[in-house]
Amino acid sequence: MEKSTDSSRMKTSGKLFTIGLISFWYSSNIGVILLNKYLLSNYGFKYPIFLTMCHMTACALLSYIAIAWLKVVPMQTVRSRVQFTKIATLSAVFCASVVAGNISLRYLPVSFNQAVGATTPFFTAVFAYLMTLKREGWLTYVTLIPVVTGVIIASGVRILVTVMDLFRLRRRRETGDHRTVGEPSFHLFGFLMCVGATAARALKTVLQGILLSSEAEKLNSMNLLMYMAPIAVVCLIPAALIMEKNVVGITIALAKEDTKFIWYLLFNSTLAYFVNLTNFLVTKHTSALTLQVLGNAKGAVAVVISILIFRNPVTVTGMLGYCLTVIGVVLYSEAKKRNK
């Protein structure tokens, strides 16, 4: 009787641990998206490359502490120069995806950013076919139709609203009416950066499968991050100094002017690491498919929270487009599961 009681207690504690882990993963994931948006758009810190460099620096330091000191996972070594080249390639693509994603948050609402980001399976399927000639089942490709259609609906609505806002603004200026029209809800450069970030994330997934497919070279995600992050920092330092002139001086000045800013930056960078850590732990304690399904729901939660916090304008048609995309991603996950 005591053994069964102990067994049930262990199962209950295991479930509570998994629920707590998922909650922490959700919190860190949504938190870093919203804080990025706040810093880059609302706060006015318009330096996405430098912000990404802070994220990667935190990932490099904290992943080393987690592996070398806390022994979260066993440390794996880089076995050859060829393997290092592969990791560096992955780091460059990963870096491009994060920078482009942060740039897009300067111009786009989080809700629209998440809608475009949900099309990652579409780009993954395209890159997988182009680079490996790997074909999925016909049902998998069919499920990608609502994924893309939803974003087309959402972006089409935003483009139309923006054109109408600009037209009304022009007419008011012509008639001497200086009342303001709402801020345009669509930004072409931001949209292109968001699509670029989504495509780069998909490319990184495919490249990771190709470059580190060898059993001798395979690294778990925690060790891979530990080696990728410092390479990303080395790439981002010159990019930030050249493209975001005097960013270090501006950051120091902001920190002196508002002490909260430095805490925002530190907290944001730490959250960026915990996104990767909890991603790994949730996969370990559940499954990759569960992580994908939870990720779909996370996007919807992020949209709702961002609307409540930032009050960004949302149309019914735009929300229907986003919902259609999420439904498509869920169907895509199920189709992939059946093919396996």
Side-chain angles (χ1 to χ4, degrees), residues 164-183:
M164 290 173 65
D165 282 347
L166 293 174
F167 180 74
R168 283 199 296 267
L169 181 61
R170 183 180 175 185
R171 288 295 300 271
R172 286 182 179 181
R173 283 176 177 171
E174 287 176 352
T175 57
D177 186 347
H178 297 292
R179 287 180 298 168
T180 58
V181 179
E183 182 185 350

Side-chain angles (χ1 to χ4, degrees), residues 60-80:
L61 292 172
L62 295 175
S63 58
Y64 180 78
I65 291 170
I67 295 171
W69 294 359
L70 302 179
K71 310 292 183 184
V72 174
V73 293
M75 181 174 283
Q76 297 172 294
T77 57
V78 177
R79 297 173 181 269
S80 65

Side-chain angles (χ1 to χ4, degrees), residues 239-256:
L241 293 175
I242 294 168
M243 299 174 68
E244 298 177 339
K245 295 186 183 301
N246 199 29
V247 65
V248 177
I250 292 168
T251 304
I252 293 170
L254 277 172
K256 288 179 179 178

Side-chain angles (χ1 to χ4, degrees), residues 1-18:
M1 192 73 177
E2 289 181 3
K3 286 184 179 179
S4 62
T5 305
D6 290 341
S7 178
S8 62
R9 282 177 181 174
M10 286 177 68
K11 284 182 180 179
T12 304
S13 62
K15 285 180 181 178
L16 289 173
F17 176 76
T18 304

